[in-house]
Amino acid sequence: MTQDWPLSQALGLRRLLEQAGASSYRIRVVNLELPCSIGIYDHERQRLQRVRFNVELDVVDPGSFVSEDFARVLNYESIVNGIKAIIGEGHIALVETLAERIATLCLGDPRAMNVRITVDKLDAYCEAEGVGVSILRSRARR
């Protein structure tokens, strides 16, 4: 995701954080459903499962959006494509591991402050709509 953020702007992050104070905006990916090779059991390695992803990413507010300057915003397309790339790397045993990898992806952008990731396996139990985890991660303050 950092390739979307020019280095000159990334180096100015401290100034941006100071200007923004507590101001942020939230990027959301809601109910992204993708086939995924996930699970600890042999039968889960033999077929793809439906997995639902929800991401809420708090981002440093760059100021006014009136100018519609695309370079100033963190593009949610990079989150969706990043999730697709992670699951495309091959089988993952734990939903917790998958959620952690997505959090690392999101916090890799220097503008990202906090992220909540929810990963649900939709076909694990016929009695439940889904089972999974939610994790919350924050950028370490320096």
Side-chain angles (χ1 to χ4, degrees):
M1 288 177 23
T2 56
Q3 65 271 20
D4 296 336
W5 184 247
L7 181 59
S8 61
Q9 291 175 322
L11 294 175
L13 182 62
R14 170 170 270 150
R15 182 177 54 80
L16 184 60
L17 282 169
E18 290 168 358
Q19 289 173 349
S23 182
S24 66
Y25 69 103
R26 182 167 289 170
I27 294 173
R28 299 179 325 123
V29 175
V30 179
N31 294 333
L32 174 66
E33 193 174 306
L34 297 169
C36 186
S37 179
I38 190 164
I40 60 171
Y41 298 110
D42 288 338
H43 71 272
E44 293 177 304
R45 292 181 175 276
Q46 297 171 9
R47 65 175 177 82
L48 298 177
Q49 297 183 63
R50 292 180 310 136
V51 177
R52 181 180 299 138
F53 302 90
N54 284 280
V55 178
E56 291 188 351
L57 179 61
D58 293 328
V59 180
V60 173
D61 192 340
S64 174
F65 295 108
V66 173
S67 69
E68 295 188 344
D69 183 0
F70 180 69
R72 295 178 58 145
V73 299
L74 196 154
N75 185 357
Y76 49 78
E77 181 179 18
S78 60
I79 298 168
V80 172
N81 289 340
I83 293 170
K84 289 177 179 179
I86 290 168
I87 63 175
E89 292 172 357
H91 187 82
I92 299 168
L94 301 174
V95 291
E96 293 85 351
T97 301
L98 180 52
E100 195 69 49
R101 289 179 185 171
I102 296 168
T104 299
L105 164 80
C106 292
L107 292 175
D109 190 295
R111 298 168 289 182
M113 299 168 18
N114 305 298
V115 65
R116 178 180 303 276
I117 310 291
T118 300
V119 177
D120 290 309
K121 292 168 50 173
L122 303 180
D123 301 320
Y125 296 96
C126 62
E127 302 89 353
E129 183 178 326
V131 295
V133 300
S134 291
I135 65 170
L136 176 62
R137 297 293 182 261
S138 298
R139 175 174 304 287
R141 298 284 179 191
R142 294 182 186 150

